[in-house]
Amino acid sequence: MSVLDTVRKSHYGYYFIIIAAALAALVHVLSKPMLEVGTSQVEINPIVMAFLVYFICGIFFTPLVKKSPKISKISRRDITFMLLIGIAEGAGLITYFYGISTSTAVNASIFSNSEIIFALVIAMLVFKERLHIKECIPFSMIIIGMMIIPIGNDLYQNDFSFSLVTGDLLIIFSGLLYAIDITLCKYLSERFDVKKTVQIISFTCAAITISIIALFQIPMNIELAQVPNILVMSIAGTGMSTLFFLMGLKLIGAVRTVLLYSTTSVFGIIFSGLILVEVVTYTDIISVVLVLSGIFLLRNRLAGTEDIVPKHKTSSSTHTNHVSFTKKRKTSSVSKWIHNKVAEKVSQVFPNSGIG
């Protein structure tokens, strides 16, 4: 393969991730009207919505696992992890749906990168380390832009009534559940083919949510007019977004992928204004700029953490190979852990299915 072909393919990787981010943003926008109380349509229960998303997504991925190696043996530990992952991820999506039913799609878009914060907090708890100065700056920017400004603005606009920011807090809490889900997925993704992992998790979550529906006799009230939005949200917003995410990952790498995928919040705000006609304020724009800037600074620093790797340079005059070395930068175990999690976030939540 020529260098030109490699460059062209990398360009496609950027397009794939941007498309994936745009499709993922549809979940914020399309789910809001179907879950909101007081709309002209029938209100869908968040647990029912979660079941439909997981079940349709599982069906979507089923044809992709035909070439996957068959699972020879499933241990009791595998089943335990499947259940734990199903509980964590299912609870995360249900909590998110309950939150967005009383919050706004704009705020949901801003909160969409909260897993980064919770992943870092978990790392600090595990390694019992403090943040370095260079890590504190982007970390603080994300905290201020993603939590303090949106919630503070909502409190100010509603005379500091905490009952009106419950939705915001639920969406943020769903980010914590997804961060736990990422950690649990590590074991399962190492045991099974990654395409099958996505299918297994989807159907496990669907089984758990339908069990809750049957246990509490939750009515599955759905209007025919809502079906297209549910299909688009499940297939395009979840399934197709995952596929484009995977293809982009293989072409441009984990760090660039997560950086670009963070623009989901930007697309979410744009779609919220265009489709839901929600008001996008200067405060929302400031929040998004702070979040994306913090993520960029944090990712850039982590991307610079590399091992000593020989780089061969050829002189155009003598054609003699010269070897130069990049010095390994000293980093804390927290930084190394986050760097690994950037790659794991992709391979565990949206595992590398070998597409492309």
Side-chain angles (χ1 to χ4, degrees):
M1 181 184 295
S2 66
V3 175
L4 183 60
D5 290 335
T6 303
V7 172
R8 286 173 179 170
K9 281 197 171 185
S10 67
H11 285 171
Y12 282 119
Y14 292 108
Y15 302 148
F16 289 151
I17 297 303
I18 291 173
I19 293 172
L23 292 176
L26 291 174
V27 176
H28 306 305
V29 178
L30 296 181
S31 62
K32 171 68 176 174
M34 293 185 288
L35 296 164
E36 193 172 18
V37 180
T39 59
S40 57
Q41 294 180 328
V42 172
E43 175 194 353
I44 301 178
N45 186 283
I47 301 175
V48 174
M49 179 72 80
F51 163 72
L52 292 172
V53 170
Y54 284 124
F55 184 69
I56 295 172
C57 188
I59 294 175
F60 177 83
F61 273 96
T62 297
L64 302 178
V65 302
K66 289 183 178 180
K67 295 182 180 180
S68 302
K70 295 182 179 179
I71 300 176
S72 58
K73 182 181 179 181
I74 300 179
S75 65
R76 187 174 298 176
R77 188 178 183 184
D78 296 332
I79 296 174
T80 301
F81 269 87
M82 290 178 193
L83 290 174
L84 291 175
I85 292 169
I87 293 171
E89 186 163 329
L93 188 59
I94 292 170
T95 303
Y96 169 81
F97 283 152
Y98 271 112
I100 200 172
S101 65
T102 57
S103 182
T104 63
V106 171
N107 279 2
S109 301
I110 296 173
F111 299 146
S112 61
N113 293 305
S114 58
E115 299 98 310
I116 296 172
I117 294 297
F118 293 114
L120 181 56
V121 171
I122 291 173
M124 289 189 293
L125 291 175
V126 170
F127 295 108
K128 298 180 180 179
E129 292 188 6
R130 296 180 180 179
L131 288 171
H132 295 291
I133 297 299
K134 292 183 179 180
E135 293 171 330
C136 285
I137 295 173
F139 181 82
S140 300
M141 291 172 67
I142 297 172
I143 286 285
I144 294 171
M146 187 166 54
M147 297 182 185
I148 295 178
I149 292 179
I151 294 178
N153 183 59
D154 280 354
L155 287 172
Y156 177 76
Q157 296 294 334
N158 296 285
D159 298 325
F160 295 93
S161 175
F162 282 92
S163 61
L164 297 176
V165 297
T166 303
D168 295 343
L169 297 176
L170 286 175
I171 295 174
I172 293 174
F173 181 65
S174 71
L176 172 60
L177 293 173
Y178 283 131
I180 295 172
D181 169 53
I182 291 171
T183 305
L184 292 174
C185 281
K186 184 178 186 298
Y187 171 80
L188 199 64
S189 62
E190 291 174 350
R191 288 275 295 132
F192 304 119
D193 176 80
V194 288
K195 290 174 288 186
K196 192 170 289 292
T197 300
V198 177
Q199 183 198 37
I200 290 173
I201 292 174
S202 296
F203 282 130
T204 301
C205 292
I208 292 174
T209 49
I210 195 62
S211 300
I212 297 173
I213 292 171
L215 179 63
F216 293 97
Q217 298 182 346
I218 300 172
M220 298 186 67
N221 296 327
I222 304 171
E223 287 185 352
L224 185 61
Q226 295 172 323
V227 173
N229 281 348
I230 295 173
L231 291 175
V232 171
M233 185 174 64
S234 303
I235 296 175
T238 304
M240 291 301 296
S241 174
T242 301
L243 293 181
F244 281 118
F245 189 94
L246 295 172
M247 291 188 289
L249 167 66
K250 295 194 68 176
L251 294 174
I252 65 175
V255 174
R256 291 189 183 95
T257 295
V258 176
L259 272 172
L260 282 177
Y261 195 73
S262 298
T263 58
T264 299
S265 57
V266 177
F267 286 108
I269 289 178
I270 294 173
F271 294 159
S272 299
L274 295 177
I275 299 175
L276 300 181
V277 199
E278 290 187 355
V279 178
V280 180
T281 65
Y282 288 111
T283 304
D284 298 325
I285 296 174
I286 292 172
S287 295
V288 172
V289 170
L290 280 174
V291 171
L292 294 182
S293 299
I295 291 173
F296 176 79
L297 292 174
L298 187 62
R299 293 294 188 273
N300 251 12
R301 183 175 185 276
L302 297 175
T305 307
E306 301 290 345
D307 294 329
I308 298 177
V309 180
K311 293 183 179 180
H312 297 272
K313 295 182 180 179
T314 304
S315 172
S316 58
S317 57
T318 62
H319 302 286
T320 305
N321 287 333
H322 301 277
V323 180
S324 62
F325 294 89
T326 57
K327 186 177 180 181
K328 182 176 180 180
R329 295 168 58 180
K330 186 177 180 181
T331 56
S332 65
S333 54
V334 171
S335 297
K336 294 177 182 177
W337 187 90
I338 303 171
H339 184 266
N340 292 334
K341 281 301 173 187
V342 170
E344 288 177 7
K345 179 181 176 64
V346 177
S347 63
Q348 293 162 7
V349 179
F350 301 113
N352 184 357
S353 63
I355 299 170

